[in-house]
Amino acid sequence: MDFLVILVSFFSTFGNDFGYIAVFLTLLLCGFGLPVPEDVSLVSGGVIAGLGYANPHFMFGIGMAGVLVGDSAVFLLGRIYGEKVLRIPFIAKFLTPERFAQVQEKFEKYGQWVVFVARFMPGLRMPIYLTAGTSDRIAFSRFLTLDTIAAAISVPVWVYLGFFGASNLEKLEEWVHQGQLTVFAILGLFLSTVLFIFYWKKKRSSRK
């Protein structure tokens, strides 16, 4: 949890107003592969809200904005430059031609829902979003919709977890681990609900 202590200290030094900007920019850079866990950045934003440096609800909005802007920028970078993006030095470190091919295979197998699931896969998130941008398999509006739904599941868990655990960072470490399980539980419930509705509609239409 060293990252948590460092980020809380870093964000706190900016005070009430600039703390929001610091969190937003950190999340934006996370979207481009900054080696800082995005979930810890969101938790840290919640912590400084719990310490009185920010409003937790506004921090949630900042968290959503930082995540979505970062993800969209990565997608649009791929959409604008296409496969030429692989020649950009800092991109090449995260997305090798072999990894690019593997992500394309995922799109072939699972379709656009790869974008939704990628929000919960830190190591593959940026490569998948970048690859999604280079392909013609998904429109930007569709990408943004799926990413927003996924972010609405994960972001509030991390921000409010940090807010309520701000007084005890050691205990918060345990909560972060439980929070990861909670995010996956919510994701499972969401996907189960979607599959149930799809099955129910399909069965209903077959009766007509």
Side-chain angles (χ1 to χ4, degrees):
M1 293 299 288
D2 290 339
F3 272 126
L4 179 61
V5 176
I6 293 171
L7 286 175
V8 169
S9 177
F10 175 68
F11 293 155
S12 299
T13 60
F14 288 93
N16 291 20
D17 296 324
F18 292 102
Y20 295 117
I21 298 175
V23 172
F24 176 83
L25 292 177
T26 300
L27 291 170
L28 185 62
L29 292 174
C30 284
F32 281 92
L34 180 72
V36 175
E38 185 183 271
D39 53 355
V40 177
S41 300
L42 290 166
V43 170
S44 300
V47 169
I48 66 170
L51 296 175
Y53 293 101
N55 179 286
H57 310 306
F58 192 56
M59 184 59 73
F60 162 62
I62 291 295
M64 286 291 294
V67 162
L68 295 177
V69 171
D71 293 347
S72 297
V74 170
F75 177 90
L76 293 174
L77 186 66
R79 181 54 50 90
I80 293 170
Y81 289 98
E83 293 190 19
K84 293 180 181 178
V85 75
L86 298 178
R87 302 173 189 170
I88 300 175
F90 84 92
I91 295 293
K93 292 181 180 180
F94 298 98
L95 188 59
T96 62
E98 294 76 17
R99 200 173 194 184
F100 181 75
Q102 290 175 352
V103 175
Q104 285 183 316
E105 290 178 8
K106 297 294 183 183
F107 270 101
E108 290 285 352
K109 187 174 182 180
Y110 300 108
Q112 298 179 355
W113 283 101
V114 171
V115 169
F116 176 84
V117 177
R119 170 115 294 280
F120 308 95
M121 303 168 65
L124 295 175
R125 187 182 302 137
M126 192 273 270
I128 287 176
Y129 290 165
L130 196 62
T131 304
T134 63
S135 71
D136 293 324
R137 295 188 178 92
I138 182 170
F140 175 67
S141 58
R142 178 69 171 173
F143 167 83
L144 187 58
T145 298
L146 290 173
D147 194 34
T148 300
I149 295 172
I153 294 174
S154 62
V155 172
V157 172
W158 300 124
V159 172
Y160 290 108
L161 190 65
F163 174 72
F164 290 113
S167 60
N168 190 340
L169 294 185
E170 291 184 4
K171 185 67 176 179
L172 185 58
E173 180 178 0
E174 300 177 19
W175 289 2
V176 168
H177 176 67
Q178 293 173 359
Q180 292 171 338
L181 298 178
T182 300
V183 168
F184 283 114
I186 295 174
L187 175 62
L189 180 61
F190 174 82
L191 293 177
S192 298
T193 302
V194 170
L195 290 174
F196 174 78
I197 294 173
F198 174 78
Y199 175 77
W200 179 74
K201 286 185 176 181
K202 186 177 181 180
K203 190 174 182 179
R204 186 178 180 184
S205 61
S206 64
R207 291 177 179 176
K208 294 182 180 180

